[in-house]
Amino acid sequence: MFYLIYGEDAPDSLALRAVNRPAHLARIQALQNQGKLLLAGPCPAIDSADPGPAGFTGSLIVAEFASLKAAQEWADADPYLLTGIYAKVTVKPFKKVLPE
């Protein structure tokens, strides 16, 4: 089943994002290599693909896991959470309907 993982950024975490981005992306790339990633990306703080110093408000990952517990454990080990970039992480089951 797919699970939605939404991490909400802590205030003033943009510099930490840059430092921890390679480790964060490596974990997501591993999901993609396993064929489990549906989509992933950040949420710009302003209406721009490149928000510059405005930064981001969070990130969304939708990926396949064996269970909600497995998805939560994966999310709990994210470098963005462990280093304080994410102030809060929400994990929920996700049912993909479209596109087919």
XYZ file of all heavy atoms in Angstrom:
753
model
N 0.843 -1.171 0.000
C 0.000 0.000 0.000
C 0.891 1.238 0.000
O 1.986 1.225 0.516
C -0.906 -0.016 1.227
C -1.793 1.182 1.328
S -3.119 0.903 2.525
C -4.151 2.257 2.072
N 0.349 2.312 -0.569
C 1.061 3.584 -0.541
C 0.785 4.312 0.766
O -0.288 4.177 1.356
C 0.614 4.485 -1.703
C 1.164 4.063 -3.029
C 0.330 3.539 -4.000
C 2.515 4.204 -3.324
C 0.822 3.153 -5.231
C 3.021 3.832 -4.552
C 2.171 3.297 -5.512
N 1.776 5.122 1.182
C 1.649 5.957 2.362
C 2.149 7.355 2.037
O 3.138 7.526 1.331
C 2.430 5.373 3.547
C 1.835 4.062 3.978
C 2.229 2.874 3.381
C 0.828 4.021 4.931
C 1.649 1.665 3.732
C 0.239 2.814 5.290
C 0.653 1.650 4.679
O 0.057 0.463 5.019
N 1.426 8.336 2.553
C 1.784 9.739 2.416
C 2.616 10.114 3.635
O 2.222 9.845 4.768
C 0.502 10.556 2.375
C 0.565 12.068 2.395
C -0.661 12.605 1.694
C 0.679 12.635 3.786
N 3.771 10.707 3.373
C 4.636 11.198 4.444
C 4.796 12.690 4.216
O 5.300 13.109 3.171
C 6.004 10.493 4.433
C 5.817 8.987 4.614
C 6.922 11.088 5.508
C 7.071 8.169 4.347
N 4.327 13.495 5.177
C 4.439 14.937 5.055
C 5.237 15.482 6.226
O 4.822 15.356 7.380
C 3.062 15.609 5.002
C 3.197 17.112 4.853
C 3.679 17.657 3.671
C 2.913 17.963 5.899
C 3.852 19.026 3.530
C 3.075 19.340 5.767
C 3.551 19.853 4.583
O 3.733 21.215 4.450
N 6.380 16.059 5.916
C 7.216 16.678 6.935
C 7.031 18.185 6.893
O 7.150 18.780 5.822
N 6.741 18.784 8.050
C 6.577 20.233 8.151
C 7.873 20.830 8.694
O 8.348 20.433 9.765
C 5.422 20.573 9.086
C 4.086 20.091 8.568
C 2.952 20.411 9.520
O 2.863 21.570 9.974
O 2.169 19.488 9.809
N 8.439 21.790 7.957
C 9.709 22.382 8.346
C 9.597 23.236 9.601
O 8.596 23.940 9.806
C 10.261 23.266 7.227
C 10.880 22.461 6.098
O 10.609 21.252 5.986
O 11.650 23.058 5.319
N 10.643 23.196 10.401
C 10.784 24.101 11.536
C 11.160 25.482 10.993
O 11.730 25.593 9.898
C 11.871 23.590 12.472
N 10.870 26.526 11.717
C 11.272 27.862 11.269
C 12.794 27.955 11.100
O 13.553 27.320 11.838
C 10.801 28.772 12.408
C 9.743 28.007 13.116
C 10.121 26.560 12.969
N 13.212 28.720 10.123
C 14.639 28.997 9.900
C 15.481 27.731 9.716
O 16.614 27.655 10.212
C 15.206 29.850 11.034
C 14.471 31.162 11.189
O 14.203 31.818 10.157
O 14.145 31.533 12.329
N 14.967 26.754 8.987
C 15.683 25.483 8.796
C 16.312 25.350 7.417
O 16.852 24.292 7.091
C 14.742 24.311 9.066
O 13.634 24.344 8.184
N 16.287 26.409 6.609
C 16.788 26.311 5.237
C 18.266 25.925 5.176
O 18.659 25.078 4.371
C 16.546 27.616 4.478
C 16.909 27.616 2.997
C 16.132 26.538 2.245
C 16.644 28.984 2.387
N 19.102 26.505 6.018
C 20.537 26.177 6.003
C 20.761 24.707 6.365
O 21.597 24.030 5.755
C 21.299 27.087 6.952
N 20.004 24.200 7.332
C 20.108 22.782 7.693
C 19.655 21.885 6.556
O 20.201 20.801 6.356
C 19.249 22.484 8.932
C 19.874 22.719 10.288
C 18.857 22.465 11.392
C 21.104 21.874 10.486
N 18.647 22.312 5.803
C 18.179 21.549 4.638
C 19.319 21.317 3.665
O 19.509 20.213 3.163
C 17.055 22.295 3.910
C 15.679 21.787 4.171
C 14.686 22.558 3.274
N 13.361 22.056 3.497
C 12.790 21.101 2.767
N 13.413 20.556 1.760
N 11.570 20.708 3.050
N 20.054 22.370 3.365
C 21.143 22.274 2.385
C 22.200 21.271 2.846
O 22.690 20.462 2.053
C 21.764 23.647 2.157
N 22.541 21.290 4.121
C 23.568 20.398 4.659
C 23.116 18.936 4.624
O 23.899 18.041 4.316
C 23.928 20.813 6.106
C 24.818 19.789 6.779
C 24.574 22.188 6.115
N 21.853 18.688 4.934
C 21.345 17.319 5.070
C 20.658 16.776 3.827
O 20.240 15.624 3.804
C 20.392 17.259 6.263
C 21.133 17.423 7.555
O 21.755 16.485 8.032
N 21.114 18.624 8.113
N 20.564 17.596 2.785
C 19.857 17.184 1.573
C 20.430 15.920 0.920
O 19.661 15.031 0.537
C 19.832 18.339 0.563
C 18.935 18.080 -0.624
C 18.751 19.363 -1.445
N 17.729 19.190 -2.442
C 17.972 18.927 -3.725
N 19.218 18.846 -4.159
N 16.978 18.756 -4.570
N 21.750 15.771 0.786
C 22.246 14.544 0.143
C 21.804 13.259 0.851
O 21.385 12.295 0.191
C 23.770 14.715 0.182
C 23.973 16.200 0.187
C 22.828 16.727 1.035
N 21.853 13.235 2.166
C 21.441 12.034 2.906
C 19.935 11.806 2.779
O 19.481 10.665 2.630
C 21.836 12.162 4.375
N 19.170 12.882 2.817
C 17.712 12.796 2.666
C 17.357 12.241 1.279
O 16.552 11.313 1.157
C 17.124 14.196 2.876
C 15.680 14.337 2.561
N 14.678 13.849 3.369
C 15.053 14.960 1.524
C 13.500 14.150 2.843
N 13.695 14.824 1.731
N 17.988 12.801 0.250
C 17.701 12.347 -1.118
C 18.166 10.923 -1.371
O 17.532 10.189 -2.137
C 18.340 13.293 -2.134
C 17.712 14.674 -2.249
C 18.449 15.510 -3.290
C 16.242 14.598 -2.582
N 19.250 10.497 -0.740
C 19.748 9.124 -0.926
C 18.704 8.108 -0.467
O 18.505 7.073 -1.115
C 21.055 8.931 -0.168
N 18.009 8.401 0.610
C 16.979 7.486 1.099
C 15.791 7.430 0.140
O 15.214 6.362 -0.097
C 16.498 7.923 2.486
C 17.609 7.864 3.522
C 17.144 8.299 4.887
N 16.382 7.193 5.476
C 15.109 7.282 5.849
N 14.436 8.391 5.705
N 14.502 6.237 6.375
N 15.433 8.589 -0.409
C 14.328 8.627 -1.367
C 14.731 7.940 -2.663
O 13.937 7.208 -3.262
C 13.880 10.081 -1.607
C 13.360 10.686 -0.300
C 12.796 10.143 -2.678
C 13.127 12.174 -0.355
N 15.972 8.144 -3.086
C 16.480 7.474 -4.289
C 16.440 5.956 -4.117
O 16.119 5.223 -5.052
C 17.903 7.928 -4.606
C 18.448 7.369 -5.904
C 17.702 7.860 -7.118
O 17.542 9.062 -7.291
N 17.238 6.962 -7.954
N 16.730 5.478 -2.919
C 16.661 4.039 -2.650
C 15.239 3.522 -2.846
O 15.043 2.443 -3.422
C 17.157 3.738 -1.237
N 14.241 4.294 -2.391
C 12.847 3.898 -2.633
C 12.555 3.847 -4.130
O 11.889 2.922 -4.612
C 11.879 4.882 -1.968
C 11.783 4.866 -0.449
C 10.888 6.001 0.033
C 11.255 3.527 0.048
N 13.054 4.841 -4.862
C 12.838 4.854 -6.309
C 13.508 3.649 -6.971
O 12.914 3.000 -7.834
C 13.360 6.145 -6.927
C 13.084 6.226 -8.418
C 13.478 7.555 -9.023
O 13.920 8.456 -8.346
N 13.301 7.664 -10.318
N 14.722 3.340 -6.566
C 15.441 2.201 -7.137
C 14.728 0.884 -6.875
O 14.835 -0.057 -7.662
C 16.866 2.143 -6.578
C 17.721 3.310 -7.026
O 17.381 4.053 -7.946
N 18.848 3.504 -6.352
N 13.982 0.820 -5.775
C 13.211 -0.375 -5.431
C 11.843 -0.396 -6.108
O 11.072 -1.336 -5.931
C 13.019 -0.450 -3.913
C 14.292 -0.591 -3.129
C 14.095 -0.303 -1.643
O 12.981 -0.238 -1.135
N 15.193 -0.114 -0.945
N 11.515 0.661 -6.870
C 10.219 0.747 -7.535
C 9.078 1.089 -6.596
O 7.915 0.836 -6.913
N 9.378 1.689 -5.436
C 8.353 1.961 -4.431
C 7.938 3.427 -4.345
O 6.989 3.746 -3.645
C 8.851 1.502 -3.063
C 9.056 0.001 -2.993
C 9.496 -0.425 -1.625
C 9.597 -1.949 -1.570
N 9.909 -2.415 -0.221
N 8.632 4.315 -5.031
C 8.343 5.740 -4.923
C 7.304 6.167 -5.949
O 7.454 5.925 -7.143
C 9.627 6.552 -5.133
C 9.489 8.055 -4.986
C 9.167 8.432 -3.547
C 10.761 8.749 -5.441
N 6.242 6.821 -5.487
C 5.237 7.381 -6.382
C 5.601 8.820 -6.724
O 5.594 9.214 -7.882
C 3.846 7.301 -5.748
C 2.684 7.765 -6.617
C 2.563 6.912 -7.875
C 1.386 7.708 -5.825
N 5.922 9.620 -5.710
C 6.353 11.003 -5.929
C 7.001 11.540 -4.672
O 6.794 11.028 -3.579
C 5.182 11.903 -6.347
C 4.034 12.098 -5.375
C 4.271 13.310 -4.491
C 2.746 12.301 -6.139
N 7.802 12.588 -4.850
C 8.449 13.238 -3.713
C 8.872 14.637 -4.122
O 9.231 14.876 -5.279
C 9.665 12.443 -3.258
N 8.822 15.553 -3.179
C 9.305 16.895 -3.444
C 8.983 17.853 -2.316
O 8.156 17.561 -1.455
N 9.639 19.022 -2.338
C 9.424 20.023 -1.308
C 8.259 20.949 -1.639
O 7.826 21.040 -2.781
C 10.738 20.800 -1.307
C 11.173 20.754 -2.742
C 10.737 19.395 -3.242
N 7.791 21.665 -0.629
C 6.728 22.664 -0.774
C 7.352 24.045 -0.594
O 7.697 24.427 0.533
C 5.646 22.448 0.280
S 4.883 20.825 0.209
N 7.540 24.798 -1.687
C 8.128 26.135 -1.561
C 7.280 27.038 -0.663
O 6.050 26.963 -0.664
C 8.146 26.656 -3.002
C 8.129 25.422 -3.854
C 7.286 24.440 -3.089
N 7.948 27.908 0.079
C 7.264 28.822 0.988
C 6.547 29.946 0.250
O 5.650 30.579 0.809
C 8.247 29.403 1.983
N 6.945 30.179 -1.006
C 6.292 31.187 -1.836
C 5.913 30.546 -3.159
O 6.362 29.447 -3.480
C 7.200 32.425 -2.058
C 8.497 32.023 -2.750
C 7.459 33.135 -0.736
C 9.384 33.195 -3.148
N 5.118 31.227 -3.935
C 4.637 30.699 -5.212
C 5.729 30.800 -6.271
O 5.682 31.644 -7.162
C 3.385 31.471 -5.643
C 2.682 30.831 -6.821
O 3.017 29.679 -7.175
O 1.789 31.482 -7.393
N 6.741 29.931 -6.134
C 7.880 29.935 -7.044
C 8.557 28.576 -6.981
O 8.704 28.005 -5.893
C 8.876 31.027 -6.635
O 10.052 30.941 -7.396
N 8.988 28.075 -8.137
C 9.713 26.804 -8.155
C 11.052 26.931 -7.437
O 11.580 25.960 -6.896
C 9.927 26.345 -9.592
N 11.639 28.129 -7.443
C 12.890 28.394 -6.736
C 12.629 29.505 -5.721
O 12.737 30.685 -6.043
C 13.985 28.804 -7.713
C 15.312 29.068 -7.021
O 15.414 28.860 -5.790
O 16.255 29.482 -7.716
N 12.290 29.148 -4.489
C 11.902 30.159 -3.512
C 13.059 30.953 -2.917
O 12.826 31.869 -2.132
C 11.200 29.350 -2.432
C 11.876 28.022 -2.489
C 12.157 27.800 -3.957
N 14.291 30.589 -3.273
C 15.442 31.316 -2.750
C 15.450 31.328 -1.232
O 15.156 30.316 -0.589
N 15.747 32.485 -0.631
C 15.851 32.546 0.833
C 14.526 32.349 1.564
O 14.522 32.128 2.776
C 16.430 33.934 1.095
C 16.165 34.724 -0.127
C 16.120 33.740 -1.269
N 13.387 32.394 0.843
C 12.097 32.118 1.495
C 12.030 30.667 1.943
O 11.339 30.325 2.897
C 10.938 32.439 0.562
N 12.754 29.799 1.234
C 12.844 28.399 1.626
C 11.596 27.587 1.379
O 10.848 27.830 0.433
N 11.379 26.628 2.248
C 10.318 25.645 2.089
C 9.522 25.510 3.381
O 10.014 25.808 4.462
C 10.918 24.289 1.702
C 11.710 24.352 0.426
C 13.072 24.609 0.450
C 11.087 24.209 -0.800
C 13.804 24.706 -0.728
C 11.805 24.304 -1.979
C 13.170 24.548 -1.942
N 8.300 25.053 3.247
C 7.455 24.817 4.420
C 7.392 23.349 4.801
O 6.885 23.008 5.867
C 6.027 25.317 4.172
O 5.465 24.620 3.058
C 6.006 26.815 3.916
N 7.874 22.490 3.933
C 7.844 21.068 4.204
C 8.115 20.263 2.951
O 8.519 20.811 1.922
N 7.883 18.967 3.056
C 8.102 18.054 1.935
C 7.044 16.962 1.953
O 6.549 16.574 3.009
C 9.474 17.382 2.039
O 10.509 18.320 2.016
N 6.746 16.456 0.758
C 5.780 15.374 0.596
C 6.462 14.198 -0.086
O 7.167 14.371 -1.085
C 4.605 15.846 -0.270
C 3.595 14.780 -0.676
C 2.809 14.297 0.543
C 2.647 15.313 -1.723
N 6.246 13.026 0.471
C 6.714 11.777 -0.130
C 5.522 10.830 -0.147
O 4.826 10.685 0.867
C 7.861 11.140 0.691
C 9.058 12.087 0.767
C 8.261 9.781 0.121
C 10.080 11.718 1.821
N 5.276 10.196 -1.281
C 4.278 9.137 -1.361
C 5.006 7.906 -1.887
O 5.568 7.931 -2.987
C 3.085 9.504 -2.269
C 2.085 8.355 -2.321
C 2.408 10.785 -1.784
N 5.003 6.866 -1.064
C 5.758 5.664 -1.420
C 5.055 4.428 -0.875
O 4.204 4.515 0.011
C 7.177 5.745 -0.863
N 5.441 3.294 -1.423
C 4.863 2.014 -1.020
C 5.675 1.407 0.123
O 6.905 1.364 0.061
C 4.867 1.065 -2.213
C 4.188 -0.245 -1.966
C 4.165 -1.133 -3.209
O 4.761 -0.760 -4.236
O 3.559 -2.199 -3.128
N 4.967 0.970 1.146
C 5.578 0.284 2.280
C 4.711 -0.916 2.626
O 3.539 -0.972 2.252
C 5.680 1.210 3.497
C 6.659 2.335 3.317
C 6.243 3.557 2.816
C 8.003 2.177 3.635
C 7.137 4.600 2.638
C 8.912 3.213 3.463
C 8.476 4.426 2.964
N 5.260 -1.847 3.379
C 4.530 -3.061 3.757
C 3.397 -2.774 4.734
O 2.413 -3.511 4.775
C 5.492 -4.082 4.353
N 3.535 -1.698 5.522
C 2.524 -1.385 6.537
C 2.691 0.064 6.982
O 3.716 0.704 6.698
C 2.688 -2.300 7.752
O 3.932 -2.027 8.390
N 1.697 0.551 7.702
C 1.785 1.885 8.283
C 2.971 1.962 9.243
O 3.705 2.950 9.271
C 0.478 2.236 8.993
C 0.414 3.589 9.697
C 0.658 4.739 8.728
C -0.931 3.754 10.390
N 3.180 0.912 10.004
C 4.304 0.876 10.941
C 5.630 0.997 10.193
O 6.524 1.739 10.614
C 4.264 -0.414 11.759
C 5.389 -0.508 12.770
C 5.338 -1.797 13.558
C 6.516 -1.827 14.522
N 6.798 -3.142 15.031
N 5.767 0.288 9.081
C 7.003 0.355 8.296
C 7.213 1.756 7.722
O 8.332 2.277 7.707
C 6.987 -0.682 7.183
N 6.141 2.375 7.263
C 6.233 3.737 6.725
C 6.626 4.713 7.829
O 7.466 5.598 7.624
C 4.907 4.149 6.097
N 6.047 4.558 9.019
C 6.372 5.436 10.139
C 7.828 5.258 10.567
O 8.531 6.239 10.833
C 5.436 5.153 11.315
C 5.620 6.109 12.482
C 5.155 7.507 12.150
O 4.003 7.726 11.833
N 6.066 8.483 12.236
N 8.284 4.021 10.606
C 9.681 3.768 10.979
C 10.636 4.387 9.958
O 11.669 4.951 10.325
C 9.933 2.266 11.112
C 9.285 1.670 12.346
C 9.365 0.163 12.409
O 9.797 -0.477 11.411
O 8.972 -0.394 13.451
N 10.297 4.298 8.670
C 11.124 4.912 7.627
C 11.146 6.420 7.817
O 12.212 7.045 7.777
C 10.596 4.538 6.244
C 11.483 4.979 5.138
C 12.488 4.248 4.558
C 11.467 6.248 4.467
N 13.101 5.005 3.582
C 12.483 6.233 3.510
C 10.685 7.386 4.590
C 12.753 7.314 2.665
C 10.946 8.477 3.766
C 11.970 8.424 2.813
N 9.986 7.013 8.049
C 9.897 8.461 8.237
C 10.656 8.908 9.491
O 11.320 9.953 9.480
C 8.434 8.897 8.320
N 10.590 8.129 10.545
C 11.257 8.478 11.799
C 12.786 8.472 11.665
O 13.469 9.092 12.481
C 10.849 7.507 12.915
C 9.420 7.721 13.387
O 8.814 8.762 13.059
O 8.899 6.813 14.074
N 13.304 7.793 10.650
C 14.754 7.726 10.443
C 15.254 8.747 9.425
O 16.439 8.750 9.082
C 15.139 6.305 9.996
N 14.377 9.628 8.948
C 14.773 10.614 7.940
C 15.737 11.636 8.539
O 15.477 12.173 9.619
C 13.536 11.330 7.394
C 13.851 12.123 6.148
O 14.667 13.062 6.233
O 13.281 11.812 5.098
N 16.835 11.924 7.850
C 17.784 12.929 8.351
C 17.145 14.293 8.597
O 17.567 15.008 9.506
C 18.838 13.019 7.243
C 18.756 11.725 6.525
C 17.320 11.300 6.619
N 16.131 14.643 7.830
C 15.468 15.931 8.037
C 14.755 15.970 9.388
O 14.669 17.019 10.020
C 14.484 16.224 6.906
C 15.089 16.804 5.654
C 16.461 16.830 5.429
C 14.274 17.336 4.677
C 16.997 17.375 4.269
C 14.791 17.888 3.509
C 16.159 17.899 3.314
O 16.676 18.448 2.159
N 14.245 14.851 9.849
C 13.607 14.799 11.163
C 14.677 14.727 12.252
O 14.612 15.453 13.250
C 12.664 13.599 11.266
C 11.941 13.437 12.606
C 11.026 14.629 12.880
C 11.149 12.147 12.631
N 15.661 13.890 12.052
C 16.690 13.678 13.075
C 17.529 14.915 13.341
O 18.068 15.066 14.434
C 17.593 12.508 12.661
C 16.897 11.151 12.525
C 17.872 10.105 12.014
C 16.275 10.726 13.840
N 17.648 15.805 12.356
C 18.466 17.014 12.528
C 17.640 18.257 12.828
O 18.189 19.356 12.888
C 19.343 17.258 11.292
O 18.511 17.431 10.147
C 20.325 16.120 11.072
N 16.329 18.110 12.994
C 15.496 19.223 13.391
C 14.956 20.084 12.258
O 14.371 21.131 12.503
N 15.150 19.655 11.021
C 14.573 20.394 9.893
C 13.058 20.260 9.932
O 12.338 21.247 9.794
C 15.155 19.888 8.559
C 16.650 20.169 8.516
C 14.426 20.530 7.373
C 17.404 19.353 7.503
N 12.589 19.043 10.120
C 11.156 18.820 10.268
C 10.768 19.020 11.726
O 11.344 18.402 12.626
C 10.759 17.404 9.866
C 10.819 17.079 8.406
C 10.954 15.758 7.991
C 10.729 18.050 7.418
C 10.984 15.421 6.649
C 10.770 17.717 6.073
C 10.896 16.399 5.693
O 10.934 16.061 4.376
N 9.774 19.860 11.957
C 9.218 20.036 13.290
C 8.169 18.971 13.579
O 7.935 18.608 14.727
C 8.597 21.425 13.417
N 7.551 18.466 12.506
C 6.470 17.486 12.647
C 6.417 16.643 11.380
O 6.604 17.158 10.275
C 5.137 18.224 12.836
C 3.933 17.327 12.934
C 2.660 18.156 13.071
C 1.443 17.248 13.066
N 0.204 18.018 13.076
N 6.138 15.355 11.541
C 5.971 14.455 10.394
C 4.656 13.703 10.564
O 4.373 13.151 11.629
C 7.140 13.456 10.273
C 6.875 12.444 9.174
C 8.446 14.196 10.009
N 3.863 13.705 9.495
C 2.594 12.986 9.471
C 2.704 11.846 8.464
O 3.178 12.054 7.352
C 1.448 13.932 9.050
O 1.396 15.027 9.969
C 0.114 13.212 9.023
N 2.265 10.665 8.852
C 2.261 9.491 7.974
C 0.837 8.947 7.943
O 0.250 8.684 8.990
C 3.242 8.411 8.473
C 3.222 7.202 7.550
C 4.648 8.974 8.616
N 0.312 8.801 6.720
C -1.058 8.303 6.557
C -1.127 7.345 5.373
O -0.399 7.510 4.398
C -2.020 9.457 6.248
C -2.195 10.473 7.328
C -3.178 11.524 6.878
C -3.426 12.547 7.954
N -4.462 13.498 7.573
N -2.048 6.373 5.416
C -2.292 5.555 4.237
C -2.761 6.443 3.085
O -3.429 7.460 3.307
C -3.405 4.600 4.673
C -3.328 4.575 6.164
C -2.872 5.946 6.559
N -2.409 6.054 1.871
C -2.757 6.838 0.679
C -3.255 5.883 -0.396
O -2.577 4.902 -0.728
C -1.526 7.597 0.178
C -1.776 8.413 -1.061
C -2.329 9.679 -0.974
C -1.453 7.926 -2.324
C -2.552 10.447 -2.110
C -1.683 8.676 -3.455
C -2.227 9.939 -3.354
N -4.428 6.165 -0.941
C -4.994 5.345 -2.005
C -4.887 6.101 -3.321
O -5.550 7.125 -3.521
C -6.456 5.006 -1.726
C -7.059 4.107 -2.788
C -8.469 3.730 -2.449
C -9.050 2.893 -3.590
N -10.430 2.535 -3.368
N -4.050 5.623 -4.224
C -3.897 6.238 -5.538
C -5.083 5.843 -6.416
O -5.370 4.679 -6.590
C -2.588 5.791 -6.196
C -2.349 6.420 -7.542
C -1.030 5.921 -8.124
C -0.760 6.509 -9.468
N -1.483 5.900 -10.567
N -5.766 6.837 -6.986
C -6.912 6.593 -7.853
C -6.570 6.982 -9.296
O -6.797 6.220 -10.220
C -8.158 7.367 -7.356
C -9.311 7.199 -8.318
C -8.553 6.889 -5.960
N -6.027 8.186 -9.476
C -5.670 8.678 -10.816
C -4.289 9.290 -10.800
O -3.871 9.826 -9.771
C -6.693 9.724 -11.279
C -8.115 9.221 -11.503
C -9.043 10.399 -11.758
C -8.157 8.242 -12.656
N -3.570 9.257 -11.877
C -3.922 8.522 -13.094
C -3.784 7.021 -12.876
O -3.070 6.568 -11.999
C -2.901 9.026 -14.112
C -1.732 9.473 -13.313
C -2.285 9.941 -12.000
N -4.487 6.294 -13.695
C -4.457 4.828 -13.578
C -3.171 4.279 -14.102
O -2.500 4.806 -14.894
C -5.649 4.232 -14.339
C -6.940 4.572 -13.648
C -8.138 3.957 -14.327
O -8.019 2.888 -14.939
O -9.215 4.543 -14.244
